[in-house]
Amino acid sequence: MATITDVALKAGVSKSTVSNVFSKKRPIGQAVTRRVLEAAKELGYHPTYWARQQGLPKNRIIGLLLQNTSVFTSFHFSLMKGIVQACREYGYRLLVNTVPPPWTVEPDYVAGSPVDGEIVLDPTEPDGRIEERIKQGMPMVVIGRPPYAYAPHLSSVDNDNTGAAQQVTDYLLELGHTQIAFINAPRETTVSQAREAGYRAAFNARRVPVPEQLLHYRTQGMEGGDVHELALQLLRRKPQVTAIMADSSQEAAEIYRAAAEEGIGIPARLSVFAFMNSSEQTDLRPGLSSVNLNAEDLGFEAAKLLIERCEGRGAQIKQVAIGTTLDIKGSCAAKI
């Protein structure tokens, strides 16, 4: 393992300069700081990990790490409510942070972070955030399915997204729909991959051809206008799309708007189903059918697992499954 001495020698500075770059106790020039950080990154030097190995006191703070393209919805607030509840019970505080693409962190961020461990949301395949924390030896819990390479080594809390997607798709197939479009989460996220598997499984179980041309993925940073345009394209296709599954109620709202512009009634000619329903979308008429992901339970269980690991009480790797239910409202009907 690289030491502060190794970093100092490689960067051509003193050990105290390296220490001050990471602790920020004394201002260091930009050029020298960059040189030290580059040396630390190349050598794999992680001062937070070093300090933890020395048995320094913990701060009793856990982190929630999001991608900085995340839009805060009621799902996120419910998730954080569960995390905060666990923190309150165990005497911890919560620090919420975001990481920009390509989802990696620099050594100065690592060194300056006061958290004892982190919850990583929206894992991707691969995921630089997870790789970095494994290198550090930082306690971590993933909400979602971890990348395959690390799954055996990481505790996680997740819904059965494959099962939920299969259940939703099968519900629509039972109503007579076969031209079912799916605006899925971003392709690189593990939740997107799980839901696609469920979507395909439902078609295959009924021996109905999977409409490959109707399977789409939301991109990172995709705006409402982009979803609206995609919905218009889907509604103008031949043969006619009669049902659309959406990643969230924000996307469903754009589908409702596009359907209204095309003179397509919901649910008379178009059924709509969302995986995440936000309280911000309660004005949708008819009411939106959705999957209840029990976000508060996801957050509570993830925080509980992480705190156990931070305190050395959770050495065993655990995968906790949180159940889902379908909340059927007025946005779906049998195909005419």
Side-chain angles (χ1 to χ4, degrees):
M1 183 189 301
T3 67
I4 192 171
T5 302
D6 298 326
V7 176
L9 286 172
K10 187 168 185 63
V13 299
S14 67
K15 289 194 291 185
S16 62
T17 298
V18 175
S19 177
N20 283 316
V21 165
F22 287 106
S23 68
K24 304 189 189 304
K25 289 181 179 177
R26 186 169 68 82
I28 303 295
Q30 235 178 9
V32 173
T33 296
R34 188 181 306 112
R35 201 159 71 241
V36 169
L37 294 178
E38 287 174 356
K41 187 172 184 179
E42 187 174 332
L43 293 170
Y45 173 71
H46 296 292
T48 301
Y49 176 79
W50 178 86
R52 190 176 292 112
Q53 293 299 93
Q54 301 306 306
L56 297 181
K58 290 181 168 61
N59 295 316
R60 300 190 73 80
I61 301 172
I62 61 172
L64 172 62
L65 190 63
L66 308 170
Q67 298 174 359
N68 74 342
T69 54
S70 294
V71 176
F72 277 82
T73 66
S74 61
F75 171 82
H76 293 96
F77 289 119
S78 294
L79 185 84
M80 284 189 280
K81 183 179 178 182
I83 295 173
V84 169
Q85 182 183 344
C87 287
R88 188 181 302 117
E89 288 189 18
Y90 291 94
Y92 278 71
R93 290 175 292 167
L94 175 65
L95 176 67
V96 180
N97 214 328
T98 60
V99 173
W103 324 129
T104 56
V105 290
E106 295 298 325
D108 60 336
Y109 169 85
V110 174
S113 176
V115 302
D116 302 323
E118 282 191 304
I119 297 169
V120 178
L121 185 63
D122 297 326
T124 61
E125 191 81 65
D127 195 313
R129 302 168 302 167
I130 292 174
E131 293 173 7
E132 190 66 31
R133 276 143 190 79
I134 287 176
K135 287 179 187 176
Q136 301 168 30
M138 177 182 281
M140 173 176 44
V141 170
V142 175
I143 294 181
R145 178 183 64 74
Y148 284 117
Y150 303 116
H153 314 293
L154 289 177
S155 289
S156 62
V157 181
D158 197 10
N159 303 118
D160 177 7
N161 286 291
T162 298
Q166 184 169 355
Q167 192 177 7
V168 171
T169 310
D170 193 63
Y171 168 74
L172 293 170
L173 288 167
E174 183 68 27
L175 290 175
H177 301 281
T178 55
Q179 293 299 303
I180 304 171
F182 188 9
I183 304 177
N184 202 353
R187 187 190 293 267
E188 65 273 17
T189 61
T190 60
V191 67
S192 167
Q193 296 159 17
R195 288 175 182 166
E196 180 185 341
Y199 174 81
R200 292 181 179 278
F203 278 97
N204 292 335
R206 289 178 177 265
R207 299 185 178 181
V208 177
V210 178
E212 301 286 348
Q213 72 281 8
L214 299 183
L215 182 56
H216 295 267
Y217 303 88
R218 181 169 54 81
T219 58
Q220 296 287 0
M222 195 172 188
E223 300 293 336
D226 300 319
V227 177
H228 178 254
E229 184 59 35
L230 174 58
L232 285 173
Q233 292 174 20
L234 289 170
L235 295 176
R236 291 167 182 169
R237 286 185 63 91
K238 300 295 181 185
Q240 183 183 355
V241 169
T242 61
I244 302 179
M245 296 161 53
D247 178 41
S248 70
S249 57
Q250 283 80 8
E251 292 166 13
E254 294 300 328
I255 295 167
Y256 273 54
R257 186 160 70 92
E261 291 174 11
E262 294 295 301
I264 296 174
I266 298 174
R269 287 178 53 201
L270 178 70
S271 291
V272 183
F273 213 110
F275 280 95
M276 290 189 295
N277 198 355
S278 300
S279 57
E280 297 92 335
Q281 251 62 60
T282 53
D283 60 336
L284 291 180
R285 295 291 181 271
L288 177 64
S289 295
S290 62
V291 181
N292 182 1
L293 301 176
N294 293 306
E296 192 170 329
D297 293 339
L298 284 169
F300 182 88
E301 291 299 326
K304 179 182 172 184
L305 269 181
L306 179 60
I307 290 169
E308 287 176 355
R309 297 191 69 78
C310 289
E311 296 182 349
R313 297 185 287 111
Q316 183 180 357
I317 301 301
K318 297 180 181 178
Q319 281 81 40
V320 178
I322 302 298
T324 61
T325 54
L326 301 191
D327 184 10
I328 305 297
K329 293 189 178 174
S331 62
C332 297
K335 177 187 174 184
I336 297 175

